[in-house]
Amino acid sequence: MRTVRIRTALPALAGAALLAGTLLSTPAEAAGGVHIHHVWFDSPGKDDRSNKSLNAEWVQIKNSGGSAVSLKGWVLKDASNHKYVFPNVKIGAGKYLKIRTGSGSDTASDKYQDRRAYVWNNDKDTATLTRASGSKVDSCSWTTRDPSDKYC
């Protein structure tokens, strides 16, 4: 009797897995709900390349999924291919993570690219988030018609 239950349960589990795969229709859904949420591409004040000004330029990602997602090896890049490779870090379910351009001490909610120049163009640019494999998870674009920040 136990063998029969296992044999009848396996096709049902396979069907559920197939159905789940079809429901994950967007790259962000397939990435556990991780997506680009907000970009502040024009830091306030004069662009003097100070660390304070550089850190006022950032990209915020969000995990709208129900479980933590490892970002190890994932890449955030601009249209000119300036890349930030995520260290061995996870983003918790429902959590946000800012990737700041300048230098600082990484925390659970802020990561730093340790750059001495701006990454995100004020006139137009695209932030793209990819997995370590190179598959695209999400992107967000803006132009001068947008204010100094963009919700994606």
Side-chain angles (χ1 to χ4, degrees):
M1 181 75 81
R2 184 173 284 202
T3 304
V4 173
R5 287 184 187 162
I6 291 172
R7 287 183 186 159
T8 57
L10 287 176
L13 288 173
L18 180 62
L19 178 61
T22 61
L23 293 176
L24 300 177
S25 58
T26 68
E29 289 170 337
V34 176
H35 61 276
I36 297 172
H37 175 70
H38 190 185
V39 180
W40 199 286
F41 54 87
D42 185 6
S43 61
K46 185 179 177 186
D47 286 348
D48 59 7
R49 293 176 70 169
S50 68
N51 196 51
K52 180 180 178 181
S53 180
L54 290 168
N55 282 332
E57 178 185 84
W58 45 260
V59 174
Q60 183 181 54
I61 62 172
K62 180 181 182 183
N63 179 0
S64 58
S67 59
V69 175
S70 173
L71 302 177
K72 183 179 182 181
W74 285 35
V75 176
L76 177 66
K77 64 182 179 176
D78 70 343
S80 298
N81 211 29
H82 295 101
K83 295 179 182 180
Y84 171 74
V85 180
F86 286 85
N88 189 11
V89 62
K90 287 186 178 184
I91 183 170
K95 300 292 183 184
Y96 296 87
L97 179 63
K98 280 186 185 172
I99 299 83
R100 298 180 181 273
T101 300
S103 298
S105 297
D106 287 350
T107 67
S109 59
D110 289 280
K111 300 297 176 200
Y112 296 85
Q113 296 190 51
D114 296 326
R115 293 183 182 273
R116 295 183 180 176
Y118 299 97
V119 171
W120 309 107
N121 295 330
N122 296 347
D123 59 344
K124 65 178 180 178
D125 210 340
T126 299
T128 302
L129 182 64
T130 62
R131 287 185 183 86
S133 66
S135 62
K136 181 178 168 183
V137 173
D138 196 16
S139 66
C140 179
S141 298
W142 57 90
T143 67
T144 53
R145 294 174 303 190
D146 296 309
S148 56
D149 70 317
K150 169 86 180 208
Y151 282 93
C152 307

